[in-house]
Amino acid sequence: MNMKIYTILISILILSITVQAQNDHKALRKGDQAYKKGNYSGADEEYLRAIEKNPNSVKGHYNRGNAIYKSIDPNVLNEEEKEQMNKRLEKAAAEYLAAIENAKDNDTKSKAYHNLGNTYVSKNDLAQGIEAYKNALRLNPQDMETKQNLQYAIRQMQMQEQQQQQQQQGEKEQQEGEQQEQQQSQQQEEQEGEKQEQQQQQAGDEQKEKDSEEGEEQNSQSQEGKEEEMPTPEEMTKEEVLRQLKVMDEEEKKVQEKLKKEQYNQYKSDKDW
């Protein structure tokens, strides 16, 4: 009885696996048909159904990665479209990694690594793309297409590094130039300030000197005026000396006459009868 039940359970399990495998293959076939027709979004949906029925389906993951990659338009115009493209590329990369993890043969793994490298390069992630190409060549050293893609990715990285170095050098030179201009401007301002200060000081000294000269000139003129009003005997002319002597003689005569009158009056009687 127990043996009979066990046999029934085994039969049901085998039948279930068979049905699941048939459904898996059916979804894969539909996906392949849509892929060949260029209906990559439809192929993506069918491969996803196959993966849901069999999460370890190497062909399902590998082909879905291809369908997603093919559905991407590389001619993006703005940042929003670029962001959407990168998200799609990340999904494709995840499918290739899942295929690599579940694959049993090196040929399938090599192809998955090759496509993974293409996906990374499309994202401009050149370092990971180069590493993926190297992994593909480790599994299949004779793959010329992968070698060419590897060389292209290496050249692109070298160009980017060179451009980055040139940009950094340009930014450094620009920064140094701005600093030099700032220093020159500061030095010029300091020189102009010192020049103005010197000019102001010089103008002040000249004004002081001028004021001092004007003061001395006024004092000299005042002194000269006094000396002209009271000339010394040495400076008097002959005519002036004679005139002064005449004046003195007249004054002396007046004094003598006055004295005579006073003497006469002293002897006169003032009595009345």
Side-chain angles (χ1 to χ4, degrees):
M1 184 68 178
N2 292 335
M3 189 65 180
K4 186 176 180 180
I5 295 174
Y6 179 76
T7 302
I8 294 172
L9 291 174
I10 293 295
S11 300
I12 293 173
L13 180 60
I14 293 172
L15 179 61
S16 176
I17 294 173
T18 303
V19 172
Q20 185 176 359
Q22 288 177 351
N23 291 334
D24 177 17
H25 290 303
K26 184 178 179 181
L28 289 174
R29 284 195 302 271
K30 286 184 178 180
D32 292 342
Q33 291 172 0
Y35 187 90
K36 289 178 181 179
K37 293 178 182 179
N39 182 12
Y40 300 118
S41 60
D44 179 12
E45 294 176 358
E46 293 299 332
Y47 291 136
L48 180 58
R49 290 192 182 94
I51 293 170
E52 289 173 349
K53 298 180 183 301
N54 180 13
N56 297 325
S57 173
V58 176
K59 186 177 180 180
H61 288 296
Y62 182 86
N63 288 358
R64 185 175 187 235
N66 290 343
I68 294 172
Y69 185 83
K70 286 285 188 178
S71 67
I72 296 172
D73 182 6
N75 300 317
V76 293
L77 301 176
N78 52 50
E79 291 298 323
E80 183 178 355
E81 291 177 346
K82 185 177 180 180
E83 184 178 357
Q84 293 297 326
M85 182 188 74
N86 287 334
K87 288 181 179 179
R88 297 285 292 170
L89 289 170
E90 289 173 2
K91 287 184 178 181
E95 295 299 334
Y96 290 133
L97 288 170
I100 292 168
E101 183 179 357
N102 292 283
K104 304 300 181 182
D105 61 289
N106 290 342
D107 184 61
T108 302
K109 287 184 178 181
S110 176
K111 291 178 180 178
Y113 272 122
H114 174 93
N115 291 355
L116 179 64
N118 292 344
T119 304
Y120 285 138
V121 171
S122 297
K123 283 183 60 181
N124 201 33
D125 191 350
L126 298 175
Q128 290 200 68
I130 290 171
E131 186 62 28
Y133 290 141
K134 288 181 178 180
N135 287 332
L137 289 173
R138 291 186 182 102
L139 297 170
N140 183 10
Q142 305 303 321
D143 188 347
M144 295 303 298
E145 186 177 355
T146 302
K147 288 181 179 180
Q148 292 175 357
N149 289 4
L150 175 61
Q151 291 174 358
Y152 170 81
I154 292 173
R155 285 196 303 269
Q156 288 295 111
M157 177 172 279
Q158 290 173 346
M159 289 175 59
Q160 286 187 4
E161 290 176 351
Q162 186 177 1
Q163 290 175 356
Q164 186 176 5
Q165 289 175 357
Q166 291 176 351
Q167 182 179 358
Q168 291 175 351
Q169 182 66 24
E171 292 175 354
K172 182 180 179 181
E173 291 176 356
Q174 182 180 0
Q175 186 177 6
E176 290 176 352
E178 291 175 354
Q179 290 177 352
Q180 186 175 2
E181 289 179 1
Q182 186 177 2
Q183 290 175 355
Q184 290 177 352
S185 177
Q186 186 176 358
Q187 289 176 356
Q188 186 176 358
E189 290 178 358
E190 291 176 355
Q191 290 175 356
E192 290 178 355
E194 291 176 357
K195 185 177 180 180
Q196 289 179 358
E197 186 177 352
Q198 290 176 357
Q199 290 176 348
Q200 291 175 356
Q201 184 175 359
Q202 183 178 358
D205 294 341
E206 291 176 354
Q207 184 64 36
K208 287 180 182 179
E209 184 177 355
K210 183 177 179 181
D211 294 341
S212 177
E213 290 177 355
E214 290 178 353
E216 291 177 358
E217 184 177 355
Q218 290 176 357
N219 291 336
S220 175
Q221 290 175 354
S222 177
Q223 186 66 27
E224 288 175 358
K226 291 179 180 179
E227 290 175 354
E228 288 175 358
E229 291 175 359
M230 299 180 63
T232 60
E234 291 80 2
E235 295 176 348
M236 294 176 66
T237 63
K238 183 177 180 180
E239 289 78 6
E240 289 175 344
V241 172
L242 292 174
R243 187 171 61 251
Q244 290 291 334
L245 289 173
K246 185 177 179 181
V247 172
M248 291 173 65
D249 288 342
E250 291 177 355
E251 291 292 331
E252 186 176 358
K253 287 179 181 182
K254 290 180 180 181
V255 171
Q256 291 296 331
E257 289 177 358
K258 186 177 181 181
L259 289 174
K260 287 180 180 181
K261 288 180 179 182
E262 290 178 352
Q263 289 177 357
Y264 175 80
N265 292 331
Q266 288 178 355
Y267 294 102
K268 184 177 179 181
S269 174
D270 290 331
K271 293 182 179 180
D272 294 330
W273 290 94

